[in-house]
Amino acid sequence: MSKIMSKIVMVFVVMNLIGIAVALFLERGLGSDSVGLLCDGIRHTFLISFGNASLFYNLLIILIACLVARKNMGLGTVVYALVSGYFIDFYSWILTDIHLAEQDMLIRILAFAIGQCCLSLGLALLIQLNLGMNALDAVLYKIQNHTNFSYTIMRTGCDISYVVIGTVLGGTFGAGTICSVLVTGTMVTMITNIIGRIQKYEYKWRYETN
């Protein structure tokens, strides 16, 4: 029961990290991350909320993951698919009064850096703590395990595709989008490795002390 509660708490933490990250991307007016841009395009095309657009995208990609990468899925996968967009809506509502898009460029760049770190940390936690990857990463890691393609390269390729589609659909493209596409895959891999090392040290410490 304690393990289940721990997973629920960590999934809640991840949802908040993702919500803060994408809300910062959207509100600062310099372009969102690739998935955020795609969902922003879907929102403009179908005239729905960002939360509903995110739900539509996530249900589609989770269906694909169920077919090809079920073993990489878990509690985090389902929760991420169902509610991440509404966490983004919530934090966007909180940030509305700050008017990030009207702030000095330095503040907007700082908002991007914070958002990018939150996004990468959230995705890395899902992967490394076995909470159930988001559906896209579940598929990419499945491919990586059966081919010579690296996660970083595939993630970057998907990000570029999402950016193109999202922009065509009317999503807000900007310099932040380019930066996010270039660094997300690398940052997730780096943070995942760091978490893995911490887990190894923690396990070794517990084993030696007991």
Side-chain angles (χ1 to χ4, degrees):
M1 181 64 70
S2 60
K3 289 185 177 180
I4 294 176
M5 287 303 300
S6 295
K7 284 193 173 185
I8 292 174
V9 170
M10 287 309 302
V11 169
F12 179 75
V13 170
V14 169
M15 292 303 100
N16 279 278
L17 286 171
I18 301 295
I20 292 170
V22 180
L24 283 170
F25 290 154
L26 293 172
E27 294 300 319
R28 71 198 169 85
L30 293 177
S32 178
D33 68 300
S34 59
V35 177
L37 177 58
L38 176 61
C39 293
D40 193 30
I42 295 173
R43 172 178 66 171
H44 282 91
T45 300
F46 296 100
L47 301 179
I48 56 179
S49 71
F50 189 93
N52 287 331
S54 177
L55 178 63
F56 174 80
Y57 159 77
N58 280 305
L59 288 178
L60 178 61
I61 196 70
I62 205 173
L63 176 61
I64 297 173
C66 284
L67 295 175
V68 302
R70 190 173 301 173
K71 291 184 178 180
N72 289 339
M73 298 170 62
L75 174 65
T77 311
V78 177
V79 175
Y80 185 96
L82 295 178
V83 304
S84 61
Y86 300 108
F87 273 82
I88 295 167
D89 278 347
F90 172 71
Y91 282 105
S92 292
W93 172 70
I94 289 178
L95 292 172
T96 298
D97 292 337
I98 299 178
H99 303 291
L100 275 176
E102 301 173 8
Q103 301 297 323
D104 293 337
M105 183 57 67
L106 182 61
I107 294 177
R108 296 166 73 186
I109 292 174
L110 178 61
F112 166 78
I114 295 173
Q116 185 61 47
C117 289
C118 288
L119 175 67
S120 300
L121 176 59
L123 295 177
L125 286 172
L126 284 176
I127 294 169
Q128 190 61 33
L129 299 185
N130 297 317
L131 300 174
M133 306 175 190
N134 72 82
L136 175 60
D137 285 339
V139 173
L140 295 182
Y141 269 87
K142 177 71 173 182
I143 295 173
Q144 177 179 254
N145 291 336
H146 289 81
T147 67
N148 293 322
F149 295 112
S150 74
Y151 166 82
T152 300
I153 293 174
M154 289 188 293
R155 176 77 196 205
T156 302
C158 287
D159 285 342
I160 293 172
S161 300
Y162 284 6
V163 166
V164 172
I165 297 171
T167 303
V168 170
L169 292 177
T172 302
F173 175 85
T177 304
I178 298 173
C179 293
S180 186
V181 167
L182 293 176
V183 304
T184 297
T186 301
M187 286 186 66
V188 170
T189 300
M190 180 181 68
I191 296 173
T192 299
N193 291 336
I194 292 172
I195 295 173
R197 293 193 191 100
I198 293 173
Q199 288 177 313
K200 287 181 181 179
Y201 286 131
E202 181 183 7
Y203 175 81
K204 183 179 179 181
W205 180 79
R206 286 183 178 180
Y207 179 79
E208 291 178 348
T209 53
N210 293 328

